[in-house]
Amino acid sequence: MSDQTSEQDALAQPGVAPSARRTAGTMFAALYGELVPHAWRDPASEHDAYQLFHQRSLAMGWLDDRAGAEEVSAAGRRAHAAPGLWAMNDAGWSHPLSAPRPNLISWFQVEVSALPDDRPLPVQPFLRCAQDTTERAGAVSLTAVQILLPVQGIEASARPPYALVPSMRTSDWFGECDRRARVPVKVRIDGGVDRSIPMVAPQLARHVVSAEQNVFAGEIDEVLPPREFPAPPFDDRFWNGPPLHGMTLSGELAEWSCDAVGWLAATVADSAAHLGIHTPVLFTILQG
């Protein structure tokens, strides 16, 4: 699907999984900031956001293309395919529903494969792939990241005792970060028209800001208004919008990277599921 096709759509709609396989749901990422195009890159290049993200997903072993494998295997050309972490839905450099500020530089939409019982939502590789794709187009300076998390696809009751919040098992990856790399951040966690998030806000904050990790330290911020966070670049019917009921955390992140943001978002998703949240959750993080 080309950027031209994507941007002609008046409304973003939930992606349809390319097969009947059980999935965790739709995950959407929007990157905000500044993108300085590479001088050597042709703006009309056929290597658009969708094509680049697809190729990167495939190269890293993250793409679930089993449906395509089934189609070609019938013709005798291919017999096997790895399950992968997600199937492609759409992507683009701009979106017709994005607000003028902050500046949207790229967005990506996938259908997440069904999750193993002891693994988090694949937000870290998803954002890594999104960042790699965007950096193919130019030099990137991120100011905000927004992710629609399919919390409804997490079966919290199936989590084993050692992985109630699976991302906690990997927090030591950030243990060797330079202390000077820590950055102040603001995090908005929103359930849309569902009122569940505010009802469990204290418990959710305790889960996320756990003593088991040193990736994020913070507390509930009841002063910062929700309007300080960008509106999602998709129609309310896409998820559970508009973003009316949520909570805000202010604190420090181990580093300002898609890697650390992905870890924190996955932690929020599993913590929310553990507390009984069964709807999509909009996660937005601002630097500073």
Side-chain angles (χ1 to χ4, degrees), residues 85-120:
L85 300 178
W86 58 71
M88 280 295 300
N89 279 348
D90 208 352
W93 304 122
S94 62
H95 198 286
L97 295 181
S98 64
R101 290 289 182 269
N103 185 47
L104 177 71
I105 58 177
S106 60
W107 59 273
F108 306 89
Q109 180 184 318
V110 299
E111 189 72 14
V112 179
S113 303
L115 301 174
D117 294 342
D118 62 349
R119 299 298 172 90

Side-chain angles (χ1 to χ4, degrees), residues 53-85:
F53 188 91
H54 182 277
Q55 291 294 317
R56 188 58 169 162
S57 300
L58 184 63
M60 299 303 289
W62 295 332
L63 185 67
D64 188 334
D65 61 347
R66 287 174 291 177
E70 289 168 358
E71 292 174 2
V72 298
S73 63
R77 294 195 300 272
R78 185 177 177 188
H80 304 287
L85 300 178

Side-chain angles (χ1 to χ4, degrees), residues 31-37 101-105 134 138-144:
L31 306 187
Y32 299 89
E34 296 299 327
L35 176 66
V36 179
R101 290 289 182 269
N103 185 47
L104 177 71
I105 58 177
T134 308
V140 176
S141 178
L142 285 179
T143 57

Side-chain angles (χ1 to χ4, degrees), residues 115-121 151 154-170 204 207-208 210 212 266-276:
L115 301 174
D117 294 342
D118 62 349
R119 299 298 172 90
L121 280 173
V151 174
I154 300 173
E155 297 183 15
S157 61
R159 295 297 198 204
Y162 66 87
L164 295 179
V165 180
S167 54
M168 289 294 180
R169 301 165 61 200
T170 63
L204 184 54
H207 271 263
V208 174
S210 166
E212 298 177 37
T267 300
V268 167
D270 262 309
S271 298
H274 184 69
L275 293 171

Side-chain angles (χ1 to χ4, degrees), residues 21 25 43 48 72 111 158 211 221 238 248:
R21 300 180 190 277
D48 60 11
V72 298
E111 189 72 14
D221 186 337
F238 185 81
T248 300

Side-chain angles (χ1 to χ4, degrees), residues 199-216:
M199 293 174 62
V200 299
Q203 300 96 308
L204 184 54
R206 286 196 295 270
H207 271 263
V208 174
V209 189
S210 166
E212 298 177 37
Q213 55 85 23
N214 61 357
V215 187
F216 174 74

